[in-house]
Amino acid sequence: NTFDFFNKKFNCRLRSCYGVTEAGGPLTLQAWEDTLREDNNVGFHLNDIKFKLKAKPGSNFKSILVRTPFMMKGYYMKKNKKFQIRLDKNGYLNTMDYGSYDSKNKILFIEGRESEIIKRAGELVSLSYIENIISKYKEVGECSCISLSDKLMGTKIYVFIIFKKKINIYNQITLLKIKLKKDLKQIEIPEKIIPIQEMPRGSSGKIIKK
């Protein structure tokens, strides 16, 4: 409904927005044509919104920090009976997301939540990145990746998929595996592809991965 309203009001197709909970409104907007890029989590930041990326020791990902005049009170902490926003000395909030920045085109890439970044065989893997790759396939309606610890095999990746067509599921999974071997590194390929009829969602519409 939000996308339809935006399109009607501004005559522009909006793919996605980022940061609603952090700032009480969008921090970035993503135009429909941006979804043609290899990584769908990309957008342009809005006016009055400042971003910076902070390297994390021992990681090849960078944390996304944001400064906005629209911070919600949900990001305040109580200290000495007074409320203070959990910001650094320069007024930036750590969003707990990882990202990268294309300085030439001034585009922010959101790689995923810290909880979506897993360590596998000594290498960091983004579950969000895997989801983005799979979501591009025309036969896929929705997908969601999770990871589970295994004492013998280490971290395993599972992907749940809603296929657009409910026929020849076995053949679709077989073809999907072939595509994944081409588009993902070996360490990123899921152990199992599980077709389901619908995604479990909370009241906000977000997928409940737990």
Side-chain angles (χ1 to χ4, degrees), residues 58-74:
S59 171
N60 54 350
F61 292 94
K62 294 183 178 180
S63 298
I64 299 176
L65 280 70
V66 61
R67 188 172 68 189
T68 165
F70 311 112
M71 196 67 64
M72 290 181 66
K73 290 184 178 180

Side-chain angles (χ1 to χ4, degrees), residues 91-180:
Y92 282 84
L93 171 75
N94 189 336
T95 65
M96 306 298 287
D97 287 330
Y98 286 124
S100 58
Y101 187 70
D102 180 351
S103 57
K104 181 179 179 181
N105 297 302
K106 297 183 178 179
I107 296 175
L108 174 70
F109 289 87
I110 303 166
E111 310 289 354
R113 300 287 292 175
E114 285 191 8
S115 58
E116 295 284 296
I117 306 296
I118 64 171
K119 198 164 188 178
R120 202 177 193 204
E123 188 172 341
L124 292 175
V125 174
S126 170
L127 297 181
S128 297
Y129 175 76
I130 299 172
E131 290 175 349
N132 288 336
I133 294 296
I134 296 174
S135 295
K136 292 191 305 180
Y137 301 144
K138 61 181 181 180
E139 65 270 28
V140 174
E142 280 189 283
C143 73
S144 181
C145 287
I146 67 166
S147 64
L148 292 175
S149 297
D150 185 279
K151 291 183 179 180
L152 295 177
M153 302 297 293
T155 304
K156 288 186 175 182
I157 298 175
Y158 298 89
V159 57
F160 294 85
I161 290 182
I162 298 177
F163 288 104
K164 291 180 180 178
K165 295 183 179 180
K166 301 297 189 296
I167 57 175
N168 299 322
I169 295 296
Y170 177 81
N171 290 341
Q172 291 189 75
I173 291 176
T174 302
L175 291 173
L176 196 61
K177 288 181 177 178
I178 295 173
K179 292 181 180 180
L180 291 177

